[in-house]
């Protein structure tokens, strides 16, 4: 697990080490349903010292195991946005979220904007349909066996059966809570974000198809690019697709770093073309 930053009262939310480089730009990374901050283990080494990878630890997991997980999105968004402001991570930052984490990242960006805080320099959404397409599933109501089978089919359980069963039992309460967060969410119309956005889809993702991921395009008036990778819903957990994801993140963050600091980037015809790569 990441070392705890004991000097901050927001250490529970952001248990990673402080930035090694004072000029490093924060990349706040939010996990998928049932996931922990450890999803992003190893990202710091891959993305370089000029980026400060900040994995978010949501209540109910890791060192926050005794805290009840949220079962609705709005209070979770409020709490995470407040933690970002208190940790001084709401300036010159980027957001990355996978699946539920993508939905949460988008809502946090909107919440920070409504508070008068800056939008992220870049929003990365991965393995997620666009927000208005949520609310069509009720997986949090499935019996344990059916829910375990669903997670296994999606590629979320790949260890031996005995270890899998024990792991799943431990994660079940927080998984159900997170799924309820997603499945009771209802998008409310508001102005698009102005920051650049990159959306990652995967070829065999049963929860977020390429067209459903492409629908994120309407959520920014800035530049938009969709990257299409091989793999299933949990493609970011390892293998060639994870490597490619990290390379593309690095490239996009390099672009953010070298672009003029004059607010959101203007619309770029190449980034907004409906091509995938």
């Amino acid at each position: 697990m990441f070392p705890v930053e004991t000097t901050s009262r927001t250490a529970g939310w952001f248990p990673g080490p402080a930035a090694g480089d004072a000029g490093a730009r924060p990349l706040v990374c939010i996990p998928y349903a049932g996931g922990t901050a450890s999803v992003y283990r190893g990202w710091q080494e891959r993305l370089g010292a000029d980026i400060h990878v900040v994995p978010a630890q949501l209540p109910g997991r890791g060192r926050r195991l005794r805290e009840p997980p949220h079962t609705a999105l709005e209070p979770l968004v409020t709490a995470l946005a407040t933690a970002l402001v208190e940790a001084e991570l709401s300036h010159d930052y980027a957001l990355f979220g996978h699946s539920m984490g993508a939905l949460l990242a988008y809502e946090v960006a909107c919440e920070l904007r409504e508070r008068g805080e800056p939008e992220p320099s870049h929003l990365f959404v991965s393995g997620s349909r666009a927000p208005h397409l949520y609310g069509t599933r009720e997986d949090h109501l499935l019996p344990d066996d059916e829910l375990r089978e669903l997670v296994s089919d999606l590629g979320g359980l790949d260890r031996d059966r005995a270890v899998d069963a024990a792991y799943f039992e431990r994660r079940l309460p927080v998984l159900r809570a997170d799924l309820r967060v997603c499945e009771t969410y209802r998008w409310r119309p508001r102005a698009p974000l102005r920051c650049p956005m990159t959306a990652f889809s995967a070829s065999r993702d049963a929860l977020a198809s390429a067209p459903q991921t492409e629908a994120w395009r309407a959520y920014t008036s800035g530049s938009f690019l969709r990257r299409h990778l091989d793999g299933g819903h949990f493609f970011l957990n390892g293998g060639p697709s994870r490597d490619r994801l990290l390379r593309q993140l690095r490239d996009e963050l390099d672009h953010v770093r070298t672009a003029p600091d004059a607010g959101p980037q203007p619309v770029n015809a190449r980034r907004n073309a409906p091509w995938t790569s």
Side-chain angles (χ1 to χ4, degrees):
M1 190 57 211
F2 299 96
V4 175
E5 191 180 44
T6 56
T7 58
S8 171
R9 47 184 205 144
T10 58
W13 284 97
F14 312 114
D21 182 341
R25 293 189 174 190
L27 172 65
V28 180
C29 299
I30 307 174
Y32 45 74
T36 69
S38 63
V39 169
Y40 300 106
R41 189 189 306 276
W43 280 36
Q44 183 65 72
E45 292 77 9
R46 294 292 302 275
L47 293 179
D50 57 332
I51 297 166
H52 177 204
V53 176
V54 184
Q57 189 77 292
L58 306 184
R61 60 212 87 193
R63 292 179 182 266
R64 308 186 71 185
L65 190 61
R66 295 185 179 181
E67 299 179 47
H70 287 273
T71 56
L73 192 75
E74 186 174 352
L76 178 54
V77 168
T78 299
L80 179 51
T82 297
L84 286 167
V85 172
E86 292 181 351
E88 300 183 351
L89 291 168
S90 59
H91 294 269
D92 198 21
Y93 68 106
L95 288 172
F96 177 94
H98 185 80
S99 197
M100 180 188 80
L103 183 64
L104 185 51
Y106 162 73
E107 286 289 340
V108 164
C110 292
E111 171 72 14
L112 290 172
R113 177 180 65 178
E114 290 170 8
R115 297 187 189 190
E117 299 287 339
E119 290 187 14
S121 60
H122 204 111
L123 175 60
F124 298 95
V125 293
S126 171
S128 173
R129 60 186 67 190
H132 67 278
L133 299 176
Y134 275 77
T136 61
R137 302 179 66 98
E138 293 186 335
D139 296 332
H140 72 286
L141 298 176
L142 289 173
D144 291 357
D145 288 348
E146 292 183 28
L147 185 53
R148 185 182 185 282
E149 183 177 357
L150 172 66
V151 174
S152 181
D153 289 345
L154 291 171
L157 297 172
D158 57 3
R159 292 169 284 218
D160 73 58
R161 194 169 186 83
V163 174
D164 256 1
Y167 175 81
F168 185 77
E169 287 300 319
R170 290 197 304 271
R171 304 307 312 155
L172 187 56
V174 75
L175 174 60
R176 284 197 185 280
D178 288 353
L179 291 175
R180 184 175 178 184
V181 165
C182 296
E183 292 163 6
T184 59
Y185 167 82
R186 297 296 182 268
W187 177 72
R188 59 183 178 88
R190 71 201 88 168
L193 296 168
R194 296 178 60 234
C195 61
M197 184 185 298
T198 302
F200 294 92
S201 57
S203 58
R204 300 186 301 280
D205 190 340
L207 296 184
S209 67
Q212 290 171 328
T213 308
E214 178 70 22
W216 278 99
R217 183 179 295 273
Y219 288 79
T220 181
S221 61
S223 60
F224 178 89
L225 179 67
R226 180 169 63 86
R227 299 283 194 181
H228 195 59
L229 304 173
D230 184 47
H233 186 64
F234 293 101
F235 67 88
L236 83 166
N237 282 348
S241 290
R242 176 181 181 268
D243 294 339
R244 189 176 177 195
L245 168 68
L246 290 170
R247 286 196 302 270
Q248 291 171 346
L249 278 174
R250 172 80 256 182
D251 290 346
E252 294 287 340
L253 291 166
D254 280 346
H255 174 75
V256 170
R257 190 181 71 252
T258 57
D261 293 328
Q265 297 300 300
V267 172
N268 176 286
R270 183 177 183 278
R271 279 184 51 84
N272 278 277
W275 309 325
T276 60
S277 61

